[in-house]
Amino acid sequence: MTKPKHATPTTETQTAKKPTGRPPGSPNVRETAVAVPSRCNACGSTERGPYLDKAELDFGGVDSQGKPFTHIVRRRVRCESCGQMRIDVTRENRV
Ligand SMILES: [Zn+2]
């Protein structure tokens, strides 16, 4: 009379944890500087020449959309279509 031995329960869950890709919070997008394309306020064209100079302000804050920024960059540029000079101001967020 041999009692059936209690088989050792194999409740060891075999959840082979495979790596879930990149850890949460790691950035996969490089910072985009401008959301709205700059536009000539004289003729409305978005065509523009090369930026002539650039003035950077080490000034941080939060913009009107709640996005943080660390620098304010002003670039002087000439409208390609009518020749009007303007200054494009962008807020950039970098480390
Ligand atoms: Zn223009």
Side-chain angles (χ1 to χ4, degrees):
M1 279 182 86
T2 50
K3 279 183 185 169
K5 238 180 157 187
H6 221 72
T8 47
T10 55
T11 49
E12 216 177 303
T13 45
Q14 300 219 340
T15 44
K17 276 184 184 167
K18 64 177 180 179
T20 54
R22 63 179 73 210
S26 64
N28 60 356
V29 190
R30 274 161 57 101
E31 187 57 45
T32 52
V34 203
V36 185
S38 74
R39 188 177 290 268
C40 173
N41 36 30
C43 73
S45 170
T46 54
E47 298 288 316
R48 55 167 174 72
Y51 284 124
L52 300 175
D53 61 23
K54 174 178 168 181
E56 242 183 62
L57 208 63
D58 191 359
F59 178 82
V62 178
D63 72 7
S64 55
Q65 274 122 45
K67 285 199 325 201
F69 61 92
T70 58
H71 292 77
I72 293 179
V73 184
R74 299 162 68 181
R75 295 183 182 88
R76 217 143 55 86
V77 68
R78 184 188 294 277
C79 173
E80 200 78 313
S81 126
C82 76
Q84 170 74 43
M85 292 296 303
R86 71 175 186 274
I87 294 177
D88 281 355
V89 181
T90 57
R91 295 178 185 83
E92 298 183 2
N93 190 9
R94 346 186 190 116
V95 190

